[in-house]
Amino acid sequence: MEELTAGKGSRVQHARYGPGVIIDVKYAQYVVTFMDQGIIEVDKTDPLFEILHTENRSIEVETVSAVETSLLKILRLWSDVSEVVPLGDRWEGGTMVLQPKDPSLKAKEIPIEVFFHKIVMVRDRLRVLEQQINSHKQLSDEDKINMQQYITRMYGSLTTFNVLFKQKEHWFAGEKGAKED
């Protein structure tokens, strides 16, 4: 028989993070909003974690869509292979022109596909950096959070380039967009 899991709305206590409420349930973690710490994913086996009052007990953990999204995220983070990201149709075959203020200087023309590829590579490398920070054994949780905030700000700085992407799912997301994950 499968084990029932605490559901959304369950009240919890963590020895480090304090009191909180489960807002989402994943296969091996609870996503918890802690009163003083904000939203944190906590392993279900964390010995410092205690469920005080269970709500919405269920065997069902994640929908197929959520599992698929999680799997794609894991594959992106741990793989050296970049996904094929389509350029917006209106940019295909286009050229980016950098025109200096001084008219006596020559403009620089770059095929938009080359520029787009470099943007996608920056995004992929930020994802790998993010995963390396999260799995680093010698960084404290506070250091990891501080570094994560810088990465989120980097994504925010790159949102200008979202106009180049064909599909919204490939866009950069800064602080506002990161809260949706």
Side-chain angles (χ1 to χ4, degrees), residues 124-172:
D124 290 347
R125 289 182 177 137
L126 277 172
R127 287 178 174 169
V128 171
L129 176 63
E130 197 170 16
Q131 184 55 42
Q132 288 177 345
I133 289 169
N134 287 336
S135 63
H136 200 283
K137 291 177 180 12
Q138 294 177 338
L139 289 174
S140 70
D141 286 342
E142 184 178 353
D143 289 336
K144 289 178 185 180
I145 289 169
N146 288 336
M147 289 182 186
Q148 278 291 344
Q149 289 174 346
Y150 282 109
I151 290 172
T152 300
R153 289 184 196 123
M154 286 179 204
Y155 283 129
S157 297
L158 294 167
T159 58
T160 300
F161 301 111
N162 287 345
V163 71
L164 298 172
F165 291 88
K166 184 173 188 171
Q167 298 163 344
K168 191 173 182 176
E169 68 192 51
H170 295 125
W171 284 12
F172 292 101

Side-chain angles (χ1 to χ4, degrees), residues 2-116:
E2 295 188 50
E3 183 180 324
L4 290 176
T5 184
K8 293 178 183 178
S10 297
R11 287 180 294 177
V12 299
Q13 177 72 32
H14 193 281
R16 182 172 181 188
Y17 305 126
V21 175
I22 295 174
I23 60 170
D24 199 9
V25 179
K26 296 186 175 186
Y27 180 75
Q29 296 93 18
Y30 291 113
V31 180
V32 181
T33 297
F34 290 101
M35 294 176 88
D36 298 327
Q37 303 294 323
I39 298 172
I40 298 175
E41 287 187 17
V42 178
D43 287 346
K44 290 181 178 179
T45 59
D46 187 334
L48 303 176
F49 184 72
E50 178 185 1
I51 298 172
L52 301 175
H53 179 75
T54 303
E55 294 285 339
N56 304 312
R57 287 179 78 100
S58 172
I59 293 173
E60 209 174 292
V61 178
E62 292 183 79
T63 65
V64 173
S65 174
V67 170
E68 184 177 285
T69 302
S70 296
L71 182 57
L72 286 172
K73 198 179 250 188
I74 290 166
L75 290 173
R76 273 192 217 119
L77 292 172
W78 289 98
S79 172
D80 269 347
V81 179
S82 296
E83 68 180 309
V84 176
V85 178
L87 176 65
D89 294 338
R90 68 181 176 168
W91 305 110
E92 287 182 13
T95 304
M96 187 173 78
V97 179
L98 301 174
Q99 184 69 48
K101 182 179 178 179
D102 183 349
S104 67
L105 297 174
K106 186 177 175 186
K108 171 79 173 172
E109 291 190 21
I110 304 168
I112 201 89
E113 285 89 354
V114 171
F115 181 72
F116 182 71

